[in-house]
Amino acid sequence: MWRSCHRLRDGGRRLLNRPVGGPSASKSPGPTISSPARAYAPPTERKRFYQNVSITQGEGGFEINLDHRKLKTPQAKLFTVPSEALAIAVATEWDSQQDTIKYYTMHLTTLCNTSLDNPTQRNKDQLIRAAVKFLDTDTVCYRVEEPETLVELQRNEWDPIIEWAEKRYGVEINSSTSIMGPSIPAKTREVLVSHLASYNTWALQGIEFVAAQLKSMVLTLGLIDLRLTVEQAVLLSRLEEEYQIQKWGNIEWAHDYELQELRARTAASTLFIHLCSESSTVKHKLLKE
């Protein structure tokens, strides 16, 4: 299934949309990424002001400590996450910063800030509707009529993941060459709304962000359901761009850099979804065993 995708990757490098921002802050918190799911303006870099990073368990969850200072959100709320595994992952982001803190590399921190501050003031139902709305403009559902080589490539690479989603969720997902886009049955929306309702609001923030990166709800479902790897999902989301790059060439360093950024954002938000969907009680039980 991936043969032609890999040929594209080998034949030319990538062209992505440059990242629009980065994560959080500390005592004087920095904003986050501006995207449908994250409404903070990107912060600037700053000199690292702490030596040690640790986590502690408080009444509201797990907290991050920078030396003796507790991490705060951009709205000055106590930075508290629901699971120890997520706290460790966030602490690792802060601990891995060198002499300069590069907030735009700290995607897990940013997603936590967004979940805690909720800058767009959306409830669970609104987050679910926002995620399902990506079906209307889903990358894998928009097809070209020519050239034939690209038509065939889209059919070979995108049809299998659509067929998987239809079988997995018992829905119908159409593709179209019309500029108006595909017609998505109401039943399909209802089923996916019901499925997404099983996630908590933190995980839904991550799901919407993944869909925004990949411009596809179908690919997002494949990714969080472990049907696709991050590399496969990113490549499928950029299939037409890869085709054009192979045909016309690329810009030397820019495509590689931006591809890695897209992979990093997608990987971090996928990890965020899974860490937010797991019970910290189960984790402690497993650790004891």
Side-chain angles (χ1 to χ4, degrees), residues 86-213:
L86 180 56
I88 292 172
V90 171
T92 300
E93 282 189 330
W94 285 89
D95 194 45
S96 64
Q97 301 301 303
Q98 302 301 313
D99 294 336
T100 301
I101 304 172
K102 298 180 179 179
Y103 294 106
Y104 50 84
T105 66
M106 301 164 70
H107 307 301
L108 291 172
T109 302
T110 304
L111 283 162
C112 291
N113 280 334
T114 302
S115 298
L116 288 164
D117 285 348
N118 191 14
T120 55
Q121 295 300 302
R122 290 180 297 172
N123 59 31
K124 182 173 181 176
D125 289 340
Q126 290 171 318
L127 288 170
I128 291 172
R129 287 198 299 272
V132 173
K133 190 170 178 58
F134 278 97
L135 281 174
D136 295 330
T137 56
D138 201 295
T139 294
V140 302
C141 295
Y142 275 81
R143 304 299 175 89
V144 299
E145 295 181 306
E146 58 180 356
E148 183 56 36
T149 51
L150 182 54
V151 171
E152 182 181 2
L153 183 62
Q154 290 179 337
R155 182 169 57 247
N156 291 341
E157 304 299 344
W158 285 347
D159 281 2
I161 191 62
I162 290 179
E163 291 168 4
W164 166 84
E166 289 179 326
K167 183 177 180 180
R168 166 69 174 81
Y169 298 100
V171 298
E172 178 184 350
I173 301 173
N174 301 314
S175 60
S176 173
T177 57
S178 168
I179 193 172
M180 301 302 293
S183 174
I184 305 297
K187 180 64 175 176
T188 296
R189 297 180 191 277
E190 292 172 8
V191 170
L192 293 183
V193 164
S194 177
H195 172 70
L196 292 178
S198 65
Y199 290 90
N200 59 45
T201 55
W202 282 58
L204 288 169
Q205 292 279 9
I207 289 171
E208 186 190 7
F209 187 67
V210 173
Q213 301 308 299

Side-chain angles (χ1 to χ4, degrees), residues 205-270:
Q205 292 279 9
I207 289 171
E208 186 190 7
F209 187 67
V210 173
Q213 301 308 299
L214 301 178
K215 300 178 177 60
S216 170
M217 191 59 202
V218 175
L219 294 179
T220 299
L221 292 170
L223 187 56
I224 61 180
D225 209 32
L226 305 182
R227 170 62 176 77
L228 298 171
T229 65
V230 169
E231 290 78 9
Q232 289 170 340
V234 167
L235 187 58
L236 286 175
S237 75
R238 293 173 33 79
L239 199 62
E240 187 171 352
E241 290 173 276
E242 295 289 344
Y243 175 86
Q244 298 297 341
I245 289 171
Q246 183 185 28
K247 185 175 182 180
W248 303 107
N250 64 358
I251 301 173
E252 283 298 324
W253 58 270
H255 297 136
D256 287 339
Y257 171 77
E258 293 175 349
L259 174 63
Q260 296 306 320
E261 283 296 311
L262 179 57
R263 283 179 176 170
R265 293 195 301 272
T266 303
S269 45
T270 303

Side-chain angles (χ1 to χ4, degrees), residues 17-34:
N17 295 321
R18 199 179 185 94
V20 276
S24 89
S26 65
K27 190 100 174 180
S28 64
T32 30
I33 291 178
S34 56

